[in-house]
Amino acid sequence: MMEIFFETKDVFQLKDLEKIAPKEKGITAMSVKEVLQSLVDDGMVDCERIGTSNYYWAFPSKALHARKRKLEVLESQVSEGSQKQANLQKSIEKAKIGRHETEERTMLARELSSLRDQREKLKAEVEKYKDCDPQVVEEIRQANKIAKEAANRWTGKFSNSGKL
């Protein structure tokens, strides 16, 4: 379909394309409208309504400019990515300075790992006994008291006067 536009460099109406496309490019007449609409939606073919007619066109220069813009965007992304990679590589090299793999360093890393595991186990144990914590129990009592007062307020029961 694009070849029809690029070869003729002309403006067409839908009925013209429905006649030309099956003859020249072998596109079935039933799918010309769908193909054309998808090309318009993708921005590859321009469409303008003039009066009661829709006119369609696409010129090779527009496609070339679109590809050039896309290429420029992709090249800038590649250069940003390579620059980021170089910066990260420098950071890695800086971090490696003074971090020679020694027996002492290995031993300290193991100790750090075991201490982290121990800390996680202790956190889990504290979490298990959290329900018995006096501070948590007091917070629950306060929340219950507030909820009871709110319920009494809505039901019309007042604890101060003892009346309904």
Side-chain angles (χ1 to χ4, degrees):
M1 180 70 84
M2 293 301 295
E3 290 176 4
I4 294 172
F5 289 108
F6 291 163
E7 290 170 359
T8 61
K9 297 178 185 163
D10 202 1
V11 177
F12 298 98
Q13 288 185 346
L14 178 60
K15 63 181 180 179
D16 299 332
L17 288 170
E18 287 175 337
K19 291 177 188 174
I20 297 170
K23 291 178 186 173
E24 293 185 13
K25 300 300 174 186
I27 300 170
T28 60
M30 302 303 281
S31 66
V32 170
K33 186 174 183 177
E34 295 169 12
V35 170
L36 187 60
Q37 188 58 48
S38 69
L39 290 172
V40 169
D41 292 342
D42 293 342
M44 297 174 69
V45 173
D46 293 313
C47 175
E48 190 69 38
R49 184 172 193 87
I50 302 173
T52 59
S53 303
N54 286 333
Y55 291 92
Y56 300 92
W57 69 92
F59 299 118
S61 61
K62 181 183 179 190
L64 177 68
H65 289 297
R67 283 190 216 110
K68 281 184 179 178
R69 280 193 301 274
K70 182 72 173 173
L71 181 63
E72 288 172 1
V73 167
L74 292 174
E75 284 176 346
S76 70
Q77 288 175 347
V78 166
S79 67
E80 288 173 10
S82 61
Q83 186 177 6
K84 196 174 192 180
Q85 180 193 17
N87 289 340
L88 289 172
Q89 196 64 36
K90 287 178 185 176
S91 297
I92 289 171
E93 294 301 321
K94 269 186 191 177
K96 283 184 177 179
I97 295 173
R99 288 191 182 182
H100 301 291
E101 203 59 42
T102 63
E103 191 174 315
E104 181 185 1
R105 179 174 164 73
T106 307
M107 186 179 70
L108 289 172
R110 280 192 211 126
E111 185 180 346
L112 176 64
S113 175
S114 69
L115 289 173
R116 283 183 178 161
D117 290 342
Q118 185 180 2
R119 186 178 97 198
E120 289 301 316
K121 288 177 186 174
L122 290 173
K123 275 187 178 180
E125 192 172 335
V126 167
E127 190 67 31
K128 194 174 12 174
Y129 296 119
K130 183 178 181 181
D131 293 337
C132 299
D133 185 4
Q135 185 178 3
V136 172
V137 171
E138 185 59 32
E139 288 174 5
I140 292 172
R141 284 187 181 144
Q142 289 297 324
N144 287 342
K145 182 179 175 185
I146 292 170
K148 183 179 179 183
E149 289 173 359
N152 287 337
R153 196 171 35 247
W154 283 100
T155 59
K157 296 181 182 179
F158 297 101
S159 58
N160 294 346
S161 63
K163 296 181 183 177
L164 292 176

